[in-house]
Amino acid sequence: EKLDAAEIKGNPIFLGSHGNKPSSTKARAKMLQGAIAYEDYKGEKEGASCVICQFDLGEDDYIVEWPCKAKHAYHEDCIMRWARKHNTCP
C-alpha cells in the first residue's frame, strides 16, 4: 500500500524541507525511461522497500532507481514527487 495524497501532503520528506533544488525535467524523464515493472526487478532485490514511503515494492509497482552509486529503488510515484523538490538521493 502506498501513501495516499493526505499522508504525502503532511510528510516533510515531500515538502522540499531539505533545501535542495529540484532535479531537472530532463533528469526526471531519463529516470522514468528506466522504470521497470516489479516482476522484472524482484530478482535483483526481492523484499526491498521504497526508501521514501517505507512500503514494500510489490506486484503492481513500477520501480525507479536514483542515478547514484547506491542504486536505491523507489516507487515511481514516490521518487517523481521527491525529484520535483530535490536533486539529491533521498
Side-chain angles (χ1 to χ4, degrees), residues 45 47-57 73-75:
K45 299 179 183 177
S49 60
C50 175
V51 176
I52 296 173
C53 72
Q54 302 296 306
F55 287 107
D56 290 341
L57 302 172
Y74 309 93
H75 293 114

Side-chain angles (χ1 to χ4, degrees), residues 16 18-24 66 82-88:
H18 293 83
N20 296 318
K21 295 179 183 178
S23 60
S24 69
W66 190 267
W82 173 270
R84 284 193 286 276
K85 302 270 185 192
H86 309 277
N87 63 5
T88 59

Side-chain angles (χ1 to χ4, degrees), residues 13-28:
I13 204 164
F14 293 112
L15 299 178
S17 61
H18 293 83
N20 296 318
K21 295 179 183 178
S23 60
S24 69
T25 303
K26 185 177 179 179
R28 290 192 307 267

Side-chain angles (χ1 to χ4, degrees), residues 67-84:
C68 68
K69 288 182 183 181
K71 296 291 184 189
H72 295 125
Y74 309 93
H75 293 114
E76 181 180 30
D77 295 344
C78 293
I79 195 60
M80 288 302 108
R81 284 188 196 97
W82 173 270
R84 284 193 286 276

